[in-house]
Structures are given as C-alpha cells and as structure tokens.
Amino acid sequence: DIDHIICSSKKTQDDLINFYDVDLKNTSVIYQGTPNISESSLDLNIDFKYFLYVGSRKKYKNFKLILKTFNLNKNFLGNFKLICFGYEKFEKDEIELMNKLNINKDKIKLISGNDEILASLYKNAEALIYPSLNEGFGFPPLEAMKFGCPVIASNNLAIQEAVGNCGFYFDPRDEKNLANTLEKFLNSKDERELKKKDGFQRANLFNWDKTSQDLLKLYKKILS
C-alpha cells in the first residue's frame, strides 16, 4: 500500500482525487524548483525578431495550434519568426499542415543544443508561446520568466499555478483566442514590461532548496 502521494501541483492533486478516489489527507503538494539553467553570454547572431516554442511538439503539447494561429493573422509571421527549440525534426503531418496553410517554412526555424543555447534564446525572444493542453506543472514557462522572457501560455490550471499573474493566457483549443492574446501582448508594452518584471521574481520563488526542505518535513511527518 502507498502511505502518501506527493503531487507536483494542486491541479495534479485534484485529478488524483477525482479520477482515482484517493483520500485528500494522503496527498500533499510540493512544488518543484525552476530548472537550474545558468546565465549565458552566448551570441547566436540571430538578426530577426522571434517567438519561441520549447520542447516536444507531440500530442497534448498542441504545437499545431500555433501554426493555425499564424495562418489567421499573416502579420505575425510577417513581422516575426518562430523558433522551435528541441531535437524532434518536423514530422510529415506538421509539414503537410504548413503547406496546407501556405506558411512560409523559412519563417519556422528548428534549433537544438545545450542549455547555453536555450538560455540565449529565452533572453532574446519576444515571448515563449506554450499551448499545452495539459500539464502536471510545466517547466518552460518558469525557465522563460527566469531569463526575463514574457510568457504566453494556455490557461491550464497547473500552468497558472506556476506562472500566476505573470502570463498572458489563452484557450488552448481556440486559435482565434491565441491570435487575440498575441495581439494584446504586442499592443500592451507597459503590461508586458510589468509581467516580465514580476515573472522574474516569481520564478525565483520556486527553488530546489525549498523543495528539498518541504520534502524533508513531509518525510519526517510520515515516519513519525
């Protein structure tokens, strides 16, 4: 039998209770820390403005929503490019969708590499776009905020637990809503700068020292 279950977010805790009939008192929420990616002075010589997408693009990660959104407003890709950071090459269905939507594939860049490259991408991006349909917590938004990169994210409850009031949110099942959120983001410089500042502070709240201390307290409580 399991004595206790540690959840990465309140959203995960709620799902556990609702879907598996677990007793609330046998669960705890302990947040993980913001991934420890070091500062980078690397110059990638990128001479264009870009939005950033980080990680896997498969299934619930919902990457295709971004392509559909860019098709709604051609100005997004007219003024910016999209950089996808990760090791997955574009798959056949993604390329077919780009062709169907008449998206200029030169506007969609794929970059892979180490944390130094990722840190540089965060620091210079217009924003991270994170359209995931479901997360247990979601690390890329925290990483982005740590480097002063604004976050445009789906309104998934676990992501909101991490990002708080520091993000621009949208419905991940509605490309029109993402398009409207992007327009709001681009047209609200003051709000953008405020969320950027608050996001940096919020990212520092999630640290591994606190995570380890909370885990130790819970272990002592369970064993006593």
Side-chain angles (χ1 to χ4, degrees):
D1 292 339
I2 297 174
D3 293 317
H4 206 83
I5 300 175
I6 299 171
C7 305
S8 59
S9 65
K10 292 178 182 176
K11 167 67 164 54
T12 300
Q13 184 185 50
D14 288 343
D15 288 345
L16 189 66
I17 293 168
N18 292 333
F19 294 121
Y20 295 97
D21 198 27
V22 175
D23 193 325
L24 175 63
K25 71 176 185 293
N26 293 328
T27 69
S28 296
V29 175
I30 295 181
Y31 291 118
Q32 299 169 81
T34 299
N36 188 23
I37 298 177
S38 299
E39 281 285 341
S40 172
S41 59
L42 182 67
D43 184 0
L44 297 177
N45 295 315
I46 295 175
D47 59 356
F48 51 84
K49 295 181 178 181
Y50 63 91
F51 289 107
L52 180 63
Y53 178 93
V54 173
S56 175
R57 302 185 306 277
K58 295 179 179 178
K59 297 181 180 179
Y60 70 92
K61 293 298 185 178
N62 201 28
F63 171 74
K64 291 178 183 177
L65 181 85
I66 301 179
L67 298 180
K68 294 174 183 177
T69 300
F70 286 162
N71 181 58
L72 288 177
N73 189 330
K74 301 296 185 183
N75 288 330
F76 292 146
L77 285 182
N79 299 321
F80 306 93
K81 293 186 180 182
L82 175 67
I83 290 180
C84 301
F85 181 85
Y87 287 95
E88 297 172 358
K89 294 182 179 179
F90 290 118
E91 297 188 350
K92 181 180 178 181
D93 59 336
E94 293 175 317
I95 295 173
E96 287 177 346
L97 181 59
M98 292 181 203
N99 290 334
K100 179 181 178 181
L101 299 175
N102 294 317
I103 290 177
N104 183 350
K105 287 187 284 294
D106 289 337
K107 292 284 188 175
I108 314 289
K109 302 292 184 182
L110 181 61
I111 294 179
S112 60
N114 57 25
D115 284 350
E116 190 175 15
I117 292 174
L118 178 57
S120 180
L121 290 172
Y122 277 134
K123 289 170 67 175
N124 294 287
E126 296 296 311
L128 171 74
I129 304 179
Y130 201 64
S132 181
L133 290 167
N134 191 31
E135 290 291 335
F137 192 44
F139 282 130
L142 286 176
E143 291 176 346
M145 293 191 301
K146 176 182 176 181
F147 289 102
C149 176
V151 173
I152 302 170
S154 73
N155 57 12
N156 173 269
L157 292 177
I159 296 173
Q160 292 186 59
E161 283 184 61
V163 177
N165 294 325
C166 306
F168 291 82
Y169 293 108
F170 62 90
D171 181 347
R173 292 176 173 81
D174 186 349
E175 57 263 32
K176 290 183 180 179
N177 191 241
L178 173 53
N180 291 336
T181 303
L182 281 167
E183 289 178 359
K184 176 185 176 183
F185 169 82
L186 293 171
N187 292 324
S188 54
K189 182 178 179 181
D190 291 343
E191 183 179 4
R192 196 164 67 231
E193 289 302 314
L194 180 61
K195 288 181 181 292
K196 181 177 177 179
K197 178 182 177 182
D198 291 346
F200 178 77
Q201 295 175 343
R202 185 171 180 83
N204 289 328
L205 294 177
F206 297 92
N207 64 80
W208 290 106
D209 286 340
K210 185 177 187 308
T211 300
S212 59
Q213 290 168 9
D214 289 346
L215 283 170
L216 184 59
K217 289 177 183 177
L218 179 61
Y219 291 158
K220 287 181 177 178
K221 179 181 177 181
I222 293 172
L223 294 173
S224 63

